[in-house]
Amino acid sequence: MTLPGMAAKMGEMDINDASLVIVAHPTRGLVDEKFHVDVLNLRPHQPITLHSVFQSEENDFWEAYGHYISDSKGMVKADETESLGGSFTGKDPMGLIWSMKPVPGSRTGLRFRKRDVQTPYVVHISVFDGHISSGFNEKSALACTVMERWYMAPGVCRIDIRQDGVQGTLFLPPGPGPFPGILDLWGGGGGLVEYRSALLASHGYASLALEYLFQKNTSEKSAAIGEQYFEAAFNILKNHPKVASERVGLFGLSFGTSVALVMAGNSTTISVSILQTFPCSTVCSLFMITTCFKT
């Protein structure tokens, strides 16, 4: 499957469909920003499929699609017209993003995650005649448009942190601040995961994506990680001149949730006024955490 191949199919569309128009707006926005997709100049009550696809940084393809029927004026508005089937149903143009799955025949074990937050997802949205569920690359599209979805809003500042033994990336919103701060702790997969912090900064939070389970030299580095490491990271964020020092929190996912809970309960540096958790089967025991970090 290739995106150029899909574009070639676009060039083969029937001349009778030349007046058909698909509009996605905004064409550039954040990944969680609502967008609109309108298809105009269809036949009245024409069945169509809206299909979205993008190529990941690992060169894997992800797709989503919805089945629609145009109204009496030959229009489909994805936020007003119900998707009757496909990878999502209902009146939800965002379904063309959140319901994406690897295309059939892809490698197993793929995850929808962005590594380079300084580049966008480039999403191709196409219109196909009829209700179809497979073989999009082999069919001729009636029309196509492209939009960009970003984790970093314009003006967000990305700063590499290598301080007091701490490794991570700090994202600051545009403006003078001070901003509320978030120490962002990802899960047991390890490495430095930046996209949530970038998006948080795009919404006005100074967020430090912390690396604490190292994918390189894991046994040597992770064995040295303990309570002092997380406290040092917390203080780096808290003491930054653009961060409101009295408004700093911990945000943990999976194994990071367990770390955040232990730090909130045991640390003398971190003072907790509000603690909120969500049901999850992956919150680890204190024994598991202390064993992992050998504290």
Side-chain angles (χ1 to χ4, degrees):
M1 180 178 187
T2 63
L3 291 177
M6 296 183 68
K9 287 292 183 181
M10 269 290 302
E12 299 171 6
M13 63 183 178
D14 191 291
I15 191 171
N16 294 325
D17 298 313
S19 62
L20 188 148
V21 177
I22 178 172
V23 179
H25 55 95
T27 56
R28 176 187 173 117
L30 293 174
V31 292
D32 62 345
E33 181 180 349
K34 186 176 180 180
F35 60 88
H36 305 272
V37 178
D38 301 335
V39 186
L40 312 176
N41 301 332
L42 294 161
R43 300 187 302 274
H45 312 297
Q46 178 180 351
I48 65 165
T49 299
L50 282 177
H51 175 257
S52 60
V53 63
F54 81 91
Q55 187 174 10
S56 73
E57 293 154 315
E58 293 79 23
N59 295 320
D60 299 296
F61 290 92
W62 294 67
E63 68 176 359
Y65 60 96
H67 296 155
Y68 295 87
I69 296 178
S70 65
D71 63 15
S72 59
K73 298 180 180 179
M75 299 174 56
V76 166
K77 293 180 175 289
D79 55 349
E80 298 177 7
T81 309
E82 186 173 4
S83 170
L84 304 174
S87 59
F88 67 98
T89 58
K91 301 176 182 179
D92 185 8
M94 294 289 281
L96 290 168
I97 299 294
W98 63 253
S99 72
M100 277 186 164
K101 296 180 180 179
V103 299
S106 297
R107 298 179 295 127
T108 59
L110 297 178
R111 295 187 66 180
F112 194 111
R113 59 193 300 175
K114 195 77 172 67
R115 299 189 183 278
D116 182 4
V117 297
Q118 298 180 94
T119 62
Y121 283 127
V122 179
V123 183
H124 294 245
I125 303 178
S126 303
V127 186
F128 291 89
D129 189 26
H131 289 165
I132 59 177
S133 301
S134 61
F136 294 98
N137 198 38
E138 286 73 43
K139 295 179 173 62
S140 298
L142 303 179
C144 182
T145 189
V146 178
M147 64 180 184
E148 295 180 354
R149 310 300 288 174
W150 290 80
Y151 283 94
M152 281 183 66
V156 169
C157 184
R158 178 186 178 276
I159 304 170
D160 289 327
I161 298 295
R162 299 293 186 270
Q163 179 182 337
D164 300 332
V166 171
Q167 294 185 204
T169 306
L170 176 63
F171 291 88
L172 295 173
F179 307 104
I182 295 177
L183 183 61
D184 189 8
L185 305 169
W186 271 83
L192 181 58
V193 183
E194 297 183 347
Y195 64 86
R196 185 168 65 186
S197 282
L199 188 60
L200 286 167
S202 299
H203 289 290
Y205 296 88
S207 185
L208 174 55
L210 183 63
E211 185 172 13
Y212 64 96
L213 289 174
F214 298 91
Q215 294 181 333
K216 296 182 180 179
N217 301 323
T218 301
S219 59
E220 179 182 342
K221 290 185 177 180
S222 293
I225 300 300
E227 185 175 299
Q228 292 181 347
Y229 183 83
F230 297 103
E231 289 180 341
F234 185 86
N235 285 330
I236 289 171
L237 180 62
K238 179 181 178 180
N239 295 331
H240 194 281
K242 286 193 173 184
V243 175
S245 60
E246 75 285 357
R247 301 176 64 197
V248 180
L250 304 174
F251 190 172
L253 173 74
S254 188
F255 188 77
T257 303
S258 301
V259 174
L261 289 172
V262 171
M263 294 304 297
N266 295 346
S267 174
T268 58
T269 299
I270 302 172
S271 177
V272 178
S273 58
I274 298 175
L275 178 64
Q276 183 168 352
T277 62
F278 300 93
C280 181
S281 61
T282 56
V283 174
C284 309
S285 68
L286 174 60
F287 173 78
M288 181 176 177
I289 296 170
T290 54
T291 300
C292 176
F293 292 120
K294 297 181 175 61
T295 55

